[in-house]
């Protein structure tokens, strides 16, 4: 039986890069999206094809759900349960930028509320739901294991990964709502890491830098120039594949004695230089 990964916002951009990397590892996938089914279906097909090309066989299913909505989060978990019967990896990737960038002296409450609902409340309570199910699966695995001490009995080694942003600490005064939402999101990992360690569930944050996706399409020229001017020590755009490779390393159990860890995948953007 393949491990099962649920990727929020797995249909496009960074989430698609993560889905493809996990497919190559041989993980079955639930690819969540909000409204754009025309992107989700081809991603699922591409994931199955990528696995096959590497000699693996996986199932990739799509599930529409708005993670800011409680009933949708419940439905997403129920879909995963009824389709695959297990969950090994939750990737909290879905997130949005403000519809318009506005100076913090003018930006609206409506935009702030939207970003907090999707970027913070959604992953926080989805992680709560997934954690309870993972704990139940751990207990089931423990009770069926005769000799191996927990955790990691019966090959069940669940994990949670959250995709935050360099905006968790870098101030952009024309999208303060996004920065505040990512700073709040960054507290999710230490909280759940501390709570879930006793159950053998490791929790990680990946902090991407500037990644080429639809989200950054509108500011491409600006970032082209900043990168050319030396904004990042590694002088190129990041790609969804860069993030996918980091998630695949976590999914492959590369960090069994690390939890609550932040992994910067940002071309060195976070380094202070003199
Ligand atoms: P993107 O290309 O705009 O894709 C966003 C994905 O999230 C899509 O699959 C979208 O589904 C889904 N989504 C949006 N709102 C949702 C909701 N309410 N419920 C469920 N799914 C929802 O974005 P991206 O650049 O890949 O960003 C992915 C994550 O990385 C975000 O959390 C973002 O903040 C973070 N990030 C991005 C960058 C960057 O430079 N791109 C840098 C740092 C961090 P639909 O297709 O249905 O709309």
């Amino acid at each position: 039986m393949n491990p099962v990964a649920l990727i929020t916002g797995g249909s496009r951009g960074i989430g698609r890069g993560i889905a493809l990397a996990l497919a190559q590892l041989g993980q079955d996938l639930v690819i969540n999206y909000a409204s754009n089914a025309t992107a989700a279906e081809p991603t699922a097909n591409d994931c199955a094809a990528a696995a096959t090309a590497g000699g693996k066989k996986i199932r990739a299913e799509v599930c529409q759900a708005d993670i800011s909505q409680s009933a949708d989060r419940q439905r997403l978990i129920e879909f995963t349960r009824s389709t695959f019967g297990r969950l090994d990896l939750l990737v909290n990737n879905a997130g949005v930028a403000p519809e318009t960038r506005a100076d913090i002296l003018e930006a609206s409450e409506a935009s702030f509320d939207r970003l907090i609902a999707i970027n913070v409340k959604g992953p926080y309570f989805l992680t709560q739901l997934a954690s309870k199910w993972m704990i139940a699966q751990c207990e089931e695995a423990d009770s069926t294991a005769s000799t191996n001490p927990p955790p990691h009995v019966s090959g069940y080694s669940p994990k949670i990964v959250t995709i935050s942003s360099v905006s968790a600490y870098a101030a952009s005064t024309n999208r303060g709502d996004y920065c505040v939402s990512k700073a709040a999101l960054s507290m999710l990992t230490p909280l759940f890491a501390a709570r879930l360690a006793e159950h053998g569930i490791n929790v990680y944050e990946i902090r991407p830098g500037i990644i080429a996706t639809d989200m950054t399409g509108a500011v491409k020229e600006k970032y082209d120039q900043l990168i050319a001017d030396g904004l990042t020590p590694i002088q190129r755009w990041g790609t969804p594949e860069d993030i996918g490779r980091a998630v695949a390393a976590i999914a492959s159990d590369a960090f069994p004695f690390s939890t609550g860890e932040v992994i910067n995948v940002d071309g060195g953007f976070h380094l202070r230089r003199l």
Side-chain angles (χ1 to χ4, degrees), residues 11-12 14 34-36 65-67 93 164 178 182 209 211 213 216:
S11 58
R12 291 190 285 126
I14 289 173
S35 59
N36 186 357
D66 177 348
I67 58 155
N93 164 74
S164 65
Y178 184 74
K182 290 296 180 177
I211 312 295
T213 69
T216 45

Side-chain angles (χ1 to χ4, degrees), residues 82-188:
S82 61
T83 307
F84 292 114
R86 62 187 282 171
L87 178 62
D88 298 74
L89 174 65
L90 168 66
V91 184
N92 287 312
N93 164 74
V96 290
E99 279 164 356
T100 52
R101 293 186 173 208
D103 185 272
I104 48 169
L105 298 183
E106 307 297 337
S108 72
E109 279 194 39
S111 178
F112 187 93
D113 288 348
R114 172 174 173 264
L115 265 62
I116 293 296
I118 298 173
N119 294 355
V120 185
K121 185 176 153 191
Y124 186 88
F125 285 103
L126 186 64
T127 300
Q128 186 187 68
L129 282 179
S131 297
K132 287 197 231 178
W133 184 20
M134 285 173 169
I135 290 169
Q137 289 173 95
C138 286
E139 284 167 357
E140 200 179 310
D142 286 354
S143 68
T144 56
S146 52
T147 50
N148 292 337
H152 306 311
V153 290
S154 309
Y156 184 61
S157 175
K159 298 167 192 70
I160 295 167
V161 177
T162 296
I163 309 300
S164 65
S165 170
V166 294
S167 296
Y169 62 85
S172 298
T173 56
N174 63 351
R175 50 187 181 124
D177 40 18
Y178 184 74
C179 296
V180 166
S181 75
K182 290 296 180 177
L185 180 64
S186 281
M187 195 62 209
L188 184 153

Side-chain angles (χ1 to χ4, degrees), residues 2 27 33 40 42 96 107 117 124 155 181 189 195 222 228 236 239 257:
N2 291 337
Q27 301 218 345
Y33 67 100
V96 290
Y124 186 88
S181 75
T189 292
R195 180 64 183 81
K222 175 184 168 184
R236 67 165 172 86
T239 64
F257 197 50

Side-chain angles (χ1 to χ4, degrees), residues 210 222-232 235-237:
I210 300 165
K222 175 184 168 184
Y223 286 141
D224 279 345
Q225 192 59 56
L226 288 169
I227 292 167
D229 291 345
L231 180 72
T232 51
Q235 226 167 347
R236 67 165 172 86
W237 281 76

